[in-house]
């Protein structure tokens, strides 16, 4: 017979996780309701919500053309982009920290964001890319982010696939791509340098409905697969030897998880630019509450990441209103104290 005390412990843990997931979702919904009312346009809260309802239920509600344009063409997709981008970056960070067993692993520290910045810089300064027109910068950023993931895998595979090898390969590539980006900034014109710097700050101002749809589709498929393979992630987080003893193909699984997290990261930052700290901090915050079981850690980390990025963007739109700060600057201001606090909290481990 199972120990009654053990059953009560597991029941309490399930309630705690359910409460955290439900509470975080509720806070995101409330913050989204506030965020959609923020802006320089002179619209009341009632006009904003009426425009939202009119867009969802056009047969039952009506709103002015001005309110419909501002809410649906400028504000609402930005709010949803913040939620989707924060969710995806946090999940990618949680996966990387799990398979690499390193608390500093994230899309930013492994060089994927630096590679995307290099791709965008090449498109802006040199005008070179595989995709032309309006998607020149986006296409380059996406491909270079995937290229970085492929190079990390190739370098680690050459040395002998392992967590330490992938981390070292990522750090080396981060410095390499940062150097290339700096060189392009040095040779570019002042206008080009300004555009590169603005892209690297990270911004949700370039969002639109098709981009939100693309990211959402990738997130749905990726999240479902990652949660389905959560037990494999749990085993890999305990070490390669333990995972192999449980019959998990370590190299193949690490490759698949790394590529999925890289794909999610690339699909986001190619549209938003470099947004740091979300993928690094959100999993740490979540792990302290729900534990290390990836069945719960992944969706909970995504919700925390969505909340952090939505909150950062809301602050970026109000701190110096009507000027809108790039959200990447705000996440850095919020992320650094968060990370220092987490570091001091866990200094004994």
């Amino acid at each position: 017979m199972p120990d009654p005390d053990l059953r009560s412990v597991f029941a309490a843990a399930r309630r705690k996780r359910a409460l955290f997931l439900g509470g975080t979702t509720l806070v995101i919904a409330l913050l989204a309701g506030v965020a959609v009312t923020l802006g320089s346009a002179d619209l009341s809260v009632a006009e904003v919500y009426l425009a939202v309802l009119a867009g969802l239920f056009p047969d039952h509600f009506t709103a002015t053309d001005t309110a419909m344009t501002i809410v649906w063409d400028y504000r609402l997709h930005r709010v949803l982009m913040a939620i989707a981008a924060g969710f995806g970056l946090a999940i990618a960070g949680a996966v990387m920290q799990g398979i690499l067993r390193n608390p500093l692993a994230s899309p930013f520290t492994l060089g994927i964001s630096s590679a995307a910045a290099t791709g965008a810089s090449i498109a802006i300064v040199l005008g070179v890319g595989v995709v032309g027109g309006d998607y020149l910068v986006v296409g380059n950023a996406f491909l270079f982010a995937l290229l970085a993931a492929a190079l990390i895998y190739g370098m680690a595979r050459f040395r002998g696939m392992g967590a330490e090898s992938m981390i070292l390969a990522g750090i080396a590539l981060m410095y390499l791509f940062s150097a290339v980006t700096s060189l392009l900034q040095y040779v570019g014109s002042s206008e080009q340098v300004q555009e590169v710097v603005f892209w690297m700050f990270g911004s949700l101002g370039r969002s639109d409905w098709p981009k939100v749809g693309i990211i959402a589709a990738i997130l749905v498929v990726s999240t479902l697969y990652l949660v389905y393979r959560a037990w494999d992630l749990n085993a890999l987080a305990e070490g390669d030897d333990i995972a192999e003893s449980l019959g998990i193909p370590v190299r193949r699984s690490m490759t698949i998880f790394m590529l999925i997290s890289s794909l999610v990261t690339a699909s986001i930052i190619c549209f938003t630019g470099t947004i740091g700290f979300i993928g690094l901090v959100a999993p740490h915050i979540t792990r302290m509450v729900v534990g290390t079981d990836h069945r719960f850690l992944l969706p909970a980390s995504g919700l925390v990441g969505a909340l952090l990025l939505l909150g950062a963007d809301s602050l970026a739109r109000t701190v110096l209103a009507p000027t809108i700060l790039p959200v990447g600057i705000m996440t850095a201001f919020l992320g650094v104290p968060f990370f220092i606090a987490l570091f001091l909290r866990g200094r004994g481990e």
Side-chain angles (χ1 to χ4, degrees), residues 198-214:
F198 182 78
W199 191 94
M200 292 174 63
F201 281 159
S203 174
L204 299 176
R206 295 181 287 267
S207 69
D208 56 35
W209 288 108
K211 294 174 183 176
V212 174
I214 292 171

Side-chain angles (χ1 to χ4, degrees), residues 125-148:
V125 176
L126 304 180
V128 177
V130 295
V131 181
D134 296 336
Y135 288 92
L136 176 64
V137 176
V138 172
N140 268 24
F142 181 80
L143 290 176
F144 269 74
L146 293 184
L147 174 63

Side-chain angles (χ1 to χ4, degrees), residues 46-67:
E47 288 177 307
V48 170
Y49 290 153
L50 188 60
V52 173
L53 293 173
L56 296 174
F57 310 103
D59 296 334
H60 299 87
F61 298 93
T62 58
T64 64
D65 293 339
T66 301

Side-chain angles (χ1 to χ4, degrees), residues 136-188:
L136 176 64
V137 176
V138 172
N140 268 24
F142 181 80
L143 290 176
F144 269 74
L146 293 184
L147 174 63
L151 289 173
I152 291 172
Y153 169 75
M155 294 170 66
R157 184 74 179 269
F158 176 77
R159 188 173 178 225
M161 177 69 90
E164 297 83 359
S165 300
M166 297 184 76
I167 293 170
L168 290 173
I171 292 174
L173 288 177
M174 178 181 68
Y175 282 109
L176 172 63
F177 284 118
S178 296
V180 174
T181 302
S182 298
L183 176 62
L184 290 170
Q185 289 178 295
Y186 183 78
V187 301

Side-chain angles (χ1 to χ4, degrees), residues 49-330:
Y49 290 153
L50 188 60
V52 173
L53 293 173
L56 296 174
F57 310 103
D59 296 334
H60 299 87
F61 298 93
T62 58
T64 64
D65 293 339
T66 301
M68 292 293 291
T69 300
I70 292 173
V71 171
W72 284 91
D73 293 347
Y74 293 98
R75 293 185 184 177
L76 192 56
H77 60 70
R78 182 188 181 113
V79 171
L80 296 179
M81 175 66 89
I83 294 173
F87 191 96
L89 292 174
I91 281 186
V95 172
M96 291 179 179
Q97 290 173 12
I99 63 174
L100 300 179
R101 298 181 296 280
N102 189 304
L104 295 179
S106 74
F108 189 83
T109 56
L110 287 181
I112 296 176
S113 296
S114 297
T118 299
S121 300
I122 291 174
I124 294 170
V125 176
L126 304 180
V128 177
V130 295
V131 181
D134 296 336
Y135 288 92
L136 176 64
V137 176
V138 172
N140 268 24
F142 181 80
L143 290 176
F144 269 74
L146 293 184
L147 174 63
L151 289 173
I152 291 172
Y153 169 75
M155 294 170 66
R157 184 74 179 269
F158 176 77
R159 188 173 178 225
M161 177 69 90
E164 297 83 359
S165 300
M166 297 184 76
I167 293 170
L168 290 173
I171 292 174
L173 288 177
M174 178 181 68
Y175 282 109
L176 172 63
F177 284 118
S178 296
V180 174
T181 302
S182 298
L183 176 62
L184 290 170
Q185 289 178 295
Y186 183 78
V187 301
S189 65
S190 58
E191 293 80 7
Q192 291 170 337
V193 171
Q194 184 178 7
E195 187 175 353
V196 170
V197 170
F198 182 78
W199 191 94
M200 292 174 63
F201 281 159
S203 174
L204 299 176
R206 295 181 287 267
S207 69
D208 56 35
W209 288 108
K211 294 174 183 176
V212 174
I214 292 171
I215 294 175
I218 293 174
L219 281 180
V220 169
V221 176
S222 300
T223 304
L224 290 176
Y225 178 80
L226 291 172
V227 172
Y228 174 73
R229 295 283 304 276
W231 284 115
D232 293 354
L233 280 169
N234 290 341
L236 288 171
E238 295 299 324
D240 294 349
D241 294 337
I242 293 178
E244 288 179 354
S245 69
L246 295 174
I248 296 172
V250 173
R251 288 190 176 184
R252 187 176 68 185
S253 297
M254 288 183 68
T255 302
I256 292 173
F257 290 137
M258 189 68 183
L259 289 178
I260 290 176
S261 57
S262 299
L263 174 64
V264 170
T265 302
S267 66
I268 293 171
I269 61 179
C270 71
F271 294 130
T272 64
T274 303
I275 298 177
F277 283 101
I278 298 297
L280 184 65
V281 174
H284 283 286
I285 297 173
T286 309
R287 203 174 286 113
M288 291 189 298
V289 180
V290 305
T292 59
D293 189 341
H294 285 81
R295 293 177 300 166
F296 308 101
L297 178 62
L298 289 176
S301 294
L303 292 175
V304 172
L307 180 60
L308 289 176
L309 189 54
L310 180 60
D313 186 57
S314 299
L315 286 176
R317 294 163 59 192
T318 56
V319 169
L320 296 178
T323 301
I324 300 177
L325 292 174
V327 72
I329 296 177
M330 194 58 62

